Amino acid sequence: MSEKLIETRNLGLVRDGRTVLDGVNFSIHPGEIVTIVGPNGSGKSSFLKCLIGALKPTSGKITQRRGLPIGYVPQRLDLDRTLPMQVARFLRLAGGDAKGRLAMVTRLGIGNILDRQLGELSGGQLQRVLLAHALVGAPELLILDEAAQGLDQPAVASFYTLIETVRREIGCAVLMVSHDLHVVMSASDRVICLNRHVCCEGTPTVVSAAPEYRQLFGYGTEGALALYRHEHDHRHDPARETGGGHLDRHEDQQEGHSDAG
Amino acid sequence: MPDEFVLRVVLAALGVALAAAPLGCFVLWRRMVYFGDTVSHAALLGVALALVLSLPVVLGVLLMALMVAAIILTAESRLHHVDTLLGVAAHSALALGLVAVALLGGAEVDLMRYLLGDILAVGWNDVAVIWGGAILCLGLLIWRWRRLLIASLDRDLALARGLKPRREAALFTLALAVLVAVAIKVVGALLISALLIIPAAAARPMAATPERMALLAALAAAASALLGLFASFRFDAPTGPSIVVAALLVLVMSGLGAAIFRRLRTATEGIQTIENSG
């Protein structure tokens, strides 16, 4: 493939004396869909925040193609209720021309909520609006941080289908963090299994068969159940493997919340 | 010449009100209400500084406001929440300022002039300084509007767009310090943040976009200034506090108006539903 959009070399991050990321090597090429999976507290969200510049890595290097337009879809907005923000105004804030915005509004089916306030939207509506906002600037890289969190199962599936179609039309690369493995995996060109460092990476089939991935997520049907069983502090130590995963999806979601702060 | 005197006072009050209101919107959106308080309370220390160094009061206040703002923006504490730091800074700055002015200024400094403002004493010089400062604030705000708005909306979103929220915060703080410096003579250190917050809060229920909220806030602030001045002349009440009381009245009226409007709208919608179904 052609030149890399963004690349990290030996990226390390220490926060409050805790090693969050350690020696992460990563790159993404134009048009690629890459998904990062990892257990609770594995540094997924922190890694994305390093990429967009919200966190400063303690060591290592991030190189980004000059002037790379990035579209970012946060988990949620840290919106103050004193700030009135109509959906239409929010989209205009993203820039671009009116024609492009209109096309995106039609594409994402949010034409009927343009005069609503951001704070009044349902979770699914807000995600679509945030996606539209990210896509209006014609990004070459779209970054989604657990974007489907808080949506119910059908909504999650349709959200990812939407991302896939939009990507096909715009041709941007997509980097997302998720724990909806069974949905995400099929759509990804490459999956990266992250737990402070990159445990394994490759195509979805390769990763779901990899011993490192199995060790992180346990054994499940194509990773769907694996999600619910993994060890928190994994070591590459077979003796601990039977120690039993203790996390459930619920805790994973809490991790998302604390990471957002 | 009473006419010229009235014109001076009206111009001074309008200048401060028009600049304070849109800035106040950002103070609300960025959850910086207490920060505004702290910066304006630090102004009194600035008065003392100006007296010691024989500087113009505006300059002393501006320097001190900027210094305190910079300290707060860069201060990080593992033990205290930012609220605690702001509370400590606001009241210590006020107390230090009062003590310093008393010690350094001696008897000839009338403290009430700086605590509550003394708009009736403004000269044409002051009016020029106020309008200069107001235009500077508004210009800064218009120049950075989109970037400031995105940064106030969500920090990560701004960063991903290649914006620098810290720089926007610094520029905004600069505008705030300029406003405090020019407004201290009109409303005084104690009530500056009232003029920032109250008109903006009054505009909130009527506004669907940030731009409309800023314009409505400016309108509310201008109305409060005129109403407050009129009441102050009419009833011989202190001017700064009268303006703030007028702003409070506007806020209450706007809140009531919005509530009644909502009621009416849901009521007519209800009637329509009944008619449609019947």
Side-chain angles (χ1 to χ4, degrees):
Chain A
M1 282 202 220
S2 52
E3 78 177 305
K4 292 159 183 161
L5 295 177
I6 198 163
E7 181 177 27
T8 72
R9 280 235 197 96
N10 222 1
L11 193 77
L13 177 70
V14 178
R15 281 178 96 183
D16 297 329
R18 199 173 70 93
T19 306
V20 181
L21 295 169
D22 184 23
V24 177
N25 293 309
F26 162 87
S27 65
I28 187 166
H29 294 88
E32 235 188 335
I33 299 190
V34 178
T35 301
I36 300 178
V37 297
N40 188 6
S42 59
K44 302 174 301 236
S45 281
S46 300
F47 180 67
L48 288 195
K49 284 186 196 278
C50 284
L51 289 187
I52 63 166
L55 285 176
K56 208 171 176 270
T58 326
S59 58
K61 213 174 124 187
I62 301 175
T63 36
Q64 182 180 326
R65 212 197 60 202
R66 198 174 287 275
L68 174 72
I70 294 180
Y72 175 65
V73 181
Q75 282 183 31
R76 75 185 71 73
L77 273 186
D78 184 23
L79 188 73
D80 193 274
R81 79 184 81 174
T82 57
L83 176 51
M85 188 58 83
Q86 248 171 3
V87 171
R89 180 69 190 100
F90 179 63
L91 293 180
R92 275 206 308 283
L93 213 50
D97 56 298
K99 217 174 131 194
R101 275 197 302 270
L102 187 67
M104 198 54 68
V105 163
T106 324
R107 185 86 225 34
L108 298 186
I110 50 174
N112 56 331
I113 52 169
L114 284 178
D115 60 347
R116 298 272 300 277
Q117 290 286 313
L118 278 191
E120 301 171 347
L121 301 181
S122 72
Q125 288 171 329
L126 183 63
Q127 283 309 338
R128 276 164 193 260
V129 170
L130 288 174
L131 183 62
H133 180 89
L135 288 170
V136 160
E140 282 184 60
L141 174 60
L142 180 66
I143 297 182
L144 300 106
D145 188 0
E146 308 250 17
Q149 192 156 45
L151 304 189
D152 56 21
Q153 276 303 322
V156 169
S158 75
F159 187 67
Y160 282 120
T161 315
L162 191 63
I163 289 174
E164 244 184 304
T165 10
V166 167
R167 194 219 40 150
R168 224 176 296 129
E169 284 164 19
I170 298 179
C172 61
V174 179
L175 172 64
M176 50 191 167
V177 149
S178 182
H179 46 239
D180 292 301
L181 298 190
H182 52 304
V183 187
V184 158
M185 280 234 176
S186 60
S188 309
D189 297 316
R190 193 151 54 93
V191 174
I192 294 174
C193 195
L194 187 79
N195 191 20
R196 286 208 295 263
H197 60 282
V198 176
C199 297
C200 58
E201 68 174 295
T203 60
T205 22
V206 168
V207 167
S208 55
E212 292 89 349
Y213 172 81
R214 290 298 190 192
Q215 188 162 14
L216 264 188
F217 290 101
Y219 292 85
T221 36
E222 301 303 325
L225 286 173
L227 172 66
Y228 305 100
R229 292 174 57 79
H230 55 247
E231 285 196 47
H232 196 52
D233 269 321
H234 92 110
R235 276 167 213 157
H236 294 287
D237 172 8
R240 281 177 55 98
E241 211 173 327
T242 47
H246 57 90
L247 278 175
D248 56 24
R249 193 180 152 71
H250 201 67
E251 266 182 80
D252 254 20
Q253 291 193 335
Q254 284 181 339
E255 175 246 355
H257 284 280
S258 60
D259 266 18
Chain B
M1 281 182 287
D3 286 346
E4 199 193 308
F5 163 76
V6 170
L7 185 65
R8 264 200 321 254
V9 169
V10 166
L11 278 178
L14 277 181
V16 169
L18 287 175
L23 272 180
C25 290
F26 276 100
V27 168
L28 292 192
W29 299 337
R30 300 173 68 87
R31 301 169 191 144
M32 286 172 74
V33 169
Y34 220 5
F35 182 85
D37 247 10
T38 307
V39 170
S40 57
H41 285 186
L44 214 63
L45 255 181
V47 172
L49 181 83
L51 289 173
V52 175
L53 302 175
S54 332
L55 288 171
V57 169
V58 172
L59 201 61
V61 169
L62 182 64
L63 285 177
M64 191 52 75
L66 277 177
M67 211 170 81
V68 169
I71 291 172
I72 298 166
L73 280 181
T74 50
E76 271 180 44
S77 170
R78 288 182 184 281
L79 291 178
H80 300 296
H81 197 267
V82 67
D83 257 8
T84 315
L85 294 179
L86 285 173
V88 170
H91 298 115
S92 324
L94 185 60
L96 276 172
L98 289 171
V99 170
V101 170
L103 289 182
L104 302 166
E108 70 266 33
V109 179
D110 182 7
L111 261 184
M112 291 310 269
R113 279 183 60 177
Y114 297 104
L115 279 176
L116 296 179
D118 186 9
I119 194 175
L120 304 183
V122 295
W124 283 115
N125 273 353
D126 298 312
V127 173
V129 167
I130 286 169
W131 275 90
I135 288 167
L136 193 68
C137 285
L138 289 176
L140 204 69
L141 218 53
I142 291 168
W143 174 40
R144 310 302 291 187
W145 186 267
R146 186 171 159 271
R147 277 168 280 204
L148 251 172
L149 205 53
I150 297 177
S152 308
L153 201 61
D154 190 271
R155 179 177 166 269
D156 288 353
L157 209 64
L159 284 164
R161 293 202 161 267
L163 303 178
K164 308 242 178 334
R166 282 188 78 91
R167 186 172 60 195
E168 304 309 325
L171 280 169
F172 177 68
T173 312
L174 176 71
L176 211 56
V178 169
L179 180 84
V180 168
V182 300
I184 192 168
K185 200 149 193 182
V186 177
V187 280
L190 287 180
L191 291 176
I192 288 171
S193 44
L195 216 54
L196 284 166
I197 298 157
I198 299 177
R204 175 63 185 98
M206 320 254 202
T209 64
E211 289 75 17
R212 258 174 266 168
M213 179 160 155
L215 283 177
L216 286 172
L219 217 64
S224 312
L226 294 178
L227 194 67
L229 280 180
F230 174 76
S232 151
F233 287 139
R234 185 84 170 67
F235 306 111
D236 196 24
T239 319
S242 298
I243 294 176
V244 173
V245 171
L248 179 67
L249 277 177
V250 174
L251 170 81
V252 169
M253 270 159 27
S254 133
L256 282 178
I260 290 169
F261 180 72
R262 260 201 311 277
R263 270 285 164 80
L264 283 177
R265 205 177 50 179
T266 35
T268 44
E269 272 168 11
I271 291 166
Q272 276 166 1
T273 326
I274 293 166
E275 281 173 350
N276 288 344
S277 61

